[in-house]
Amino acid sequence: MAEENYHIKVMSKQNLATAIDWAVAEGWNPGLHDIESFYAADPNGFLMGFLGDEAIASISVVKYDNSYGFLGFYIVKPEFRGKGYGLKLWQAGLQYLEGCNVGLDGVVEQQGNYKQSGFKLAYGNIRFEGFGGGDEPEGIGLVDLNELSFSEVQDYDSAFFPTERHVFLKHWIGQTGSSALGIKQAGKLVGYGVIRPCRNGFKIGPLFADDALLAEELFLALKSKATPTENVYLDVPEVNLAGVALAEKYSMEPVFTTARMYTGETPEISVNRTFGVTTFELG
């Protein structure tokens, strides 16, 4: 490895756009407007490796607070793999998150490497692919999340994430081209979800609900925002059997799996009410 020419820098927003393009090439299908939400979560949490002036590797190590961070976007350009550049970037990323419990959603074939760095398997996730269309359910208390007080959304979200993520969440539910819907019953939020446009079709994420019936109603409402010819994706924790059953009920097919792993103890989040993961990149 040409050590003297290899250096690591905090990404600019333009660098992050490059990393997102690399993710497209890897088949990860990021959202069209994810960059604003991602960068807002932690502008210092995106690192890029350069060989001279050429960007060749990326990693995100978003620090939500001093107790929890999430690792993603770990990509080395194909022609530079196997030369140690990625490992140096990985080490720099984990150093930034030192002292944090670190989560990731990694490709299954890399589990062994992640375990060598101290990550332990919590559960798997399954990406399901189907189609949009259908009618929005009526009479179930659907609300636009952006018309609620943000604190109400934040309070509900707190059961599903290891720590507070209000900066990211505010951007996520308001991002361009997305629909963010909740269900209120007896004056209380009992579920919410977001559908956003991606390079290919749309992704629903998150999809959080107090029970499977509410999750299904939300899923149908979100799915209706896409046309019957557009692909819709849902990333379901495989331990949530009701979530897997929901995807299968609507003829969605599994196309991709990841391993949710942590360096510390598995956080006490409500996986049994998580019918769709927010995003594999940031948790």
Side-chain angles (χ1 to χ4, degrees):
M1 182 170 68
E3 293 272 0
E4 68 278 4
N5 291 325
Y6 185 64
H7 57 284
I8 294 167
K9 296 196 297 187
V10 175
M11 291 190 206
S12 65
K13 195 178 285 189
Q14 185 176 359
N15 294 148
L16 180 53
T18 297
I20 290 174
D21 285 340
W22 292 350
V24 173
E26 293 295 318
W28 296 353
N29 193 27
L32 292 180
H33 307 289
D34 287 352
I35 189 169
E36 296 297 334
S37 305
F38 287 175
Y39 203 71
D42 179 8
N44 295 311
F46 298 88
L47 304 180
M48 184 159 271
F50 292 84
L51 194 58
D53 293 329
E54 183 180 0
I56 66 166
S58 67
I59 197 168
S60 63
V61 280
V62 168
K63 186 185 289 187
Y64 285 98
D65 60 16
N66 289 327
S67 68
Y68 185 70
F70 203 85
L71 187 152
F73 279 109
Y74 183 44
I75 304 169
V76 179
K77 289 177 73 173
E79 62 269 33
F80 296 101
R81 293 175 185 173
K83 302 178 186 296
Y85 299 120
L87 179 60
K88 287 182 72 72
L89 188 61
W90 173 271
Q91 291 168 339
L94 288 182
Q95 184 177 2
Y96 176 70
L97 292 177
E98 189 173 359
C100 294
N101 187 8
V102 183
L104 63 77
D105 281 319
V107 293
V108 174
E109 56 265 27
Q110 289 293 330
Q111 270 189 73
N113 289 333
Y114 299 145
K115 285 178 180 176
Q116 290 179 12
S117 293
F119 285 84
K120 300 179 288 290
L121 178 66
Y123 50 83
N125 294 303
I126 306 169
R127 172 162 294 170
F128 287 95
E129 178 186 66
F131 291 99
D135 297 322
E136 183 179 284
E138 296 181 0
I140 60 167
L142 274 176
V143 291
D144 184 329
L145 285 193
N146 291 289
E147 294 178 0
L148 301 181
S149 72
F150 180 68
S151 62
E152 188 173 2
V153 180
Q154 188 177 354
D155 287 347
Y156 188 79
D157 185 76
S158 65
F160 301 90
F161 203 73
T163 192
E164 181 272 324
R165 55 172 179 174
H166 74 277
V167 176
F168 167 82
L169 189 60
K170 183 166 274 190
H171 281 80
W172 192 254
I173 66 175
Q175 69 171 279
T176 302
S178 69
S179 293
L181 302 175
I183 296 178
K184 288 192 77 169
Q185 292 184 346
K188 180 183 174 186
L189 195 63
V190 292
Y192 89 84
V194 178
I195 186 169
R196 73 193 199 281
C198 295
R199 298 295 180 100
N200 174 19
F202 292 79
K203 280 184 191 168
I204 294 174
L207 180 59
F208 300 147
D210 285 0
D211 61 46
L213 290 176
L214 291 167
E216 183 173 3
E217 299 284 16
L218 265 175
F219 172 77
L220 292 173
L222 293 164
K223 188 169 79 78
S224 73
K225 303 299 182 183
T227 71
T229 59
E230 291 175 311
N231 290 329
V232 170
Y233 299 90
L234 181 68
D235 300 331
V236 184
E238 64 181 3
V239 292
N240 185 340
L241 300 183
V244 173
L246 172 63
E248 291 174 343
K249 179 176 179 179
Y250 290 93
S251 302
M252 301 185 85
E253 296 288 339
V255 293
F256 187 71
T257 58
T258 69
R260 171 62 64 91
M261 306 180 79
Y262 297 99
T263 54
E265 295 299 313
T266 299
E268 293 185 8
I269 57 176
S270 190
V271 179
N272 64 324
R273 294 188 293 149
T274 299
F275 294 84
V277 176
T278 306
T279 163
F280 285 159
E281 288 76 30
L282 265 71

